[in-house]
Amino acid sequence: MPEPLNGAPLARDWRDRLVAVTWPAVTGLVSGLLLLLVLLPIAGLLFASPPGKLLRGLSDPLVGPAIRLTLATTIVSLLLIVACGTPLAWAIARRRGGFWRVLETVIELPVVLPPAVAGVALLLAFGRRGLLGPGLAAFGIGLPFSSAAVVLAQSFVAAPFYVQAAIAAFRRLDGDLVLVARTLGASWPRVFFTVAVPLSWPALAGGAALSWARALGEFGATLMFAGQKMGRTQTLPLAIYTALESDLQTAQSLSIILVAVAFALLMAIRAGARR
Amino acid sequence: MSGLDVNVHGATGAMSIDVAFRAGGAPLLIVGPNGAGKTSVLMMILGALAPGRGRVTLDGAPLFDHDRRIDVSVERRRIGFVPQRYALFPHLSVLDNVAYGVRAPSRAERLRLAREALADLDASALAGRRPPQLSGGEMQRVALARALACRPRALLMDEPLAALDVTIRRDVRRFLAERLRALAIPTVLVTHDVDDAEALDGDMVVIEAGSVVQAGRLDDLTRAPATEFVTQFVSRRAR
């Protein structure tokens, strides 16, 4: 209890008491609203049908090819993103200046682009009448509506998540470590592979996990640019969309798989960040 | 022609640098107030920062020559560098830190040379440890061993004692002075501590606002300090 000033009692004002009571109530209520908004749909997914029906939902002929295709395409996308995105992030992180700042913003763009815009953009770049379409066609390559198109759509929307994480990680790297490595005779590639990447790898792994989660959920751009062919372009999100019209249980089962994978990935990222 | 000749001018960021000195046998000590450009000069010698004009020559061979458009890259200058916080690679063992820059035909040979470099600095016992497990004084020894293991043609140290606890600073200073005197290569140290200057007993260059304001031995500086900063600096000298 603090000493009363000038002998006056430190009695609490009625307003203090009102705030002490209402503040937790109000914040609890509004936070709860948002939590419900997120939790209710997930509860719906998990509990709207009995488990037996859910398992039967997985026997739909859509399911197997969709899971296999999703795994294959997202892994290829992720490899592409990591292999090309890591050196790109290193280049951006080490430079200042207008051009590199614009480049960094451009890389980030797909995060905020509507998927429909991404789909149109991909068609206009790689489609038959797009920028590269005729050139590719000359070599007998038709990208749209192929598995390669799925990979392109996933990479387009998922790359920023990895590249951003990698840029941030490389910027956090102690500049003296890089300088000392160079005074010891290390070339830039050696600095990159023996100092920058090993010291940044927890953050790189986190970015890769986030990027993979985004690729797994890719829907809009894939639908427009790659279409809906079972086994070739119909990934899990597209299969869910198709199943919704015929068999709600299949849509539900597949959705639960995606939720579980996404949740596991987020938990893994958090665990990695805490280390 | 042995020695490091530095003659650099030109603006870097907000500051203009105009510095010339020569480091030969004895350690050369750069002193000056914060923000005077001492670290910028080190960066120019290392090749991490390009001077606007001038020359940097090591044993007669140009590392940087504005007029002849010579600018040898950092990794080819073979100048050892020990930064203020030592910058040991935290993901490598002490031995691998020291072996990082060693050139040898086999890994076994590289590790042997690294062990030798550690032994030269009485630090063999640290070989298996990781940098986060080292004390400040140990980190300094390892950083010095790492710089010397690849047989540099010159050595730069930025505030080598500033990060150390006062209680051990005196011992480390004595150790460093002894080792640096034994080195046969030009050595440049930045310091803000007159005790360092006394112990290392080298030529001194005082830099203020990017320019050399006085050069000479510590006794010369004490006898006739050229600026307020030098007066303050030598006044801390123990009598």
Side-chain angles (χ1 to χ4, degrees):
Chain A
M1 200 63 173
E3 283 290 309
L5 293 170
N6 308 327
L10 276 177
R12 276 207 187 175
D13 198 56
W14 64 272
R15 275 168 300 203
D16 291 344
R17 250 172 288 158
L18 187 65
V19 168
V21 172
T22 52
W23 176 246
V26 170
T27 50
L29 194 70
V30 292
S31 318
L33 268 175
L34 188 63
L35 267 177
L36 272 184
L37 195 67
V38 177
L39 285 177
L40 269 181
I42 293 175
L45 265 183
L46 292 176
F47 304 119
S49 312
K53 275 193 171 175
L54 286 178
L55 280 178
R56 237 172 297 139
L58 286 178
S59 61
D60 193 287
L62 278 178
V63 173
I67 289 180
R68 275 194 296 278
L69 181 76
T70 304
L71 273 180
T73 51
T74 53
I75 286 171
V76 173
S77 300
L78 189 61
L79 290 177
L80 195 74
I81 290 168
V82 171
C84 306
T86 318
L88 175 66
W90 175 244
I92 291 175
R94 297 204 50 78
R95 287 175 177 84
R96 277 169 238 288
F99 170 77
W100 294 95
R101 222 170 309 138
V102 172
L103 192 65
E104 193 179 343
T105 312
V106 171
I107 300 285
E108 218 174 333
L109 206 52
V111 174
V112 290
L113 276 186
V117 174
V120 173
L122 286 164
L123 276 172
L124 290 177
F126 303 105
R128 206 169 306 157
R129 273 171 297 183
L131 283 177
L132 297 181
L136 291 170
F139 291 98
I141 301 171
L143 280 178
F145 311 109
S146 67
S147 299
V150 176
V151 169
L152 281 181
Q154 288 169 348
S155 305
F156 182 83
V157 300
F161 292 88
Y162 177 75
V163 176
Q164 277 302 319
I167 291 174
F170 289 145
R171 286 206 175 123
R172 279 195 302 271
L173 199 65
D174 179 359
D176 274 348
L177 293 174
V178 173
L179 179 58
V180 164
R182 295 190 66 212
T183 65
L184 294 171
S187 60
W188 277 116
R190 182 154 182 241
V191 172
F192 176 73
F193 284 112
T194 62
V195 177
V197 170
L199 285 176
S200 309
W201 101 261
L204 297 182
L210 208 57
S211 196
W212 191 45
R214 179 65 189 87
L216 281 176
E218 205 329 279
F219 175 73
T222 313
L223 183 65
M224 293 176 70
F225 180 50
Q228 276 261 38
K229 279 188 234 157
M230 201 202 283
R232 281 192 64 192
T233 71
Q234 192 178 63
T235 54
L236 271 176
L238 297 177
I240 290 171
Y241 184 65
T242 307
L244 203 55
E245 289 167 359
S246 54
D247 181 2
L248 187 60
Q249 252 86 55
T250 303
Q252 192 184 348
S253 312
L254 292 179
S255 299
I256 290 173
I257 293 178
L258 280 181
V259 169
V261 172
F263 187 73
L265 278 174
L266 281 180
M267 290 296 278
I269 292 169
R270 282 174 181 276
R274 257 203 312 275
R275 269 202 320 145
Chain B
M1 278 301 274
S2 83
L4 176 70
D5 283 283
V6 178
N7 192 330
V8 288
H9 317 275
T12 70
M15 198 194 319
S16 117
I17 295 277
D18 185 14
V19 169
F21 59 81
R22 175 182 166 77
L28 183 108
L29 294 150
I30 299 180
V31 298
N34 286 334
K38 297 171 301 221
T39 303
S40 296
V41 171
L42 288 191
M43 292 301 125
M44 287 175 179
I45 300 172
L46 287 174
L49 194 65
R53 285 173 294 116
R55 269 188 311 281
V56 178
T57 317
L58 183 53
D59 299 338
L63 298 177
F64 176 85
D65 191 328
H66 177 261
D67 297 338
R68 288 160 65 192
R69 297 180 178 234
I70 295 173
D71 187 5
V72 178
S73 65
V74 177
E75 60 268 32
R76 296 189 178 282
R77 291 194 179 195
R78 294 195 47 208
I79 299 179
F81 177 48
V82 178
Q84 193 171 353
R85 302 229 147 245
Y86 313 127
L88 298 178
F89 303 124
H91 57 305
L92 301 179
S93 72
V94 163
L95 185 63
D96 284 331
N97 262 277
V98 178
Y100 189 88
V102 177
R103 307 259 159 151
S106 70
R107 180 170 160 79
E109 178 66 5
R110 276 176 51 210
L111 292 181
R112 193 188 64 76
L113 290 169
R115 276 202 191 85
E116 229 174 74
L118 276 172
D120 282 346
L121 291 173
D122 306 330
S124 297
L126 305 176
R129 292 218 239 151
R130 296 248 157 196
Q133 304 167 324
L134 302 179
S135 71
E138 291 168 337
M139 280 196 230
Q140 193 202 52
R141 278 186 201 208
V142 174
L144 189 57
R146 177 177 64 177
L148 296 178
C150 39
R151 313 205 176 277
R153 302 188 299 163
L155 176 69
L156 310 187
M157 299 182 90
D158 192 2
E159 300 270 10
L161 300 153
L164 298 180
D165 209 275
V166 222
T167 52
I168 63 160
R169 205 177 281 172
R170 187 184 305 193
D171 292 337
V172 176
R173 184 184 290 126
R174 196 182 310 134
F175 177 82
L176 194 65
E178 203 181 287
R179 295 309 158 121
L180 291 186
R181 260 197 293 278
L183 281 182
I185 53 173
T187 306
V188 178
L189 293 97
V190 167
T191 182
H192 66 268
D193 192 335
V194 72
D195 294 335
D196 297 353
E198 190 123 42
L200 295 164
D201 186 31
D203 297 321
M204 301 188 61
V205 169
V206 184
I207 297 180
E208 285 181 46
S211 302
V212 175
V213 294
Q214 192 167 13
R217 309 288 293 186
L218 182 57
D219 286 337
D220 305 331
L221 268 58
T222 312
R223 210 172 307 119
T227 66
E228 182 58 31
F229 171 80
V230 181
T231 309
Q232 290 284 326
F233 182 79
V234 296
S235 75
R236 292 193 298 266
R237 198 173 173 185
R239 269 167 284 264

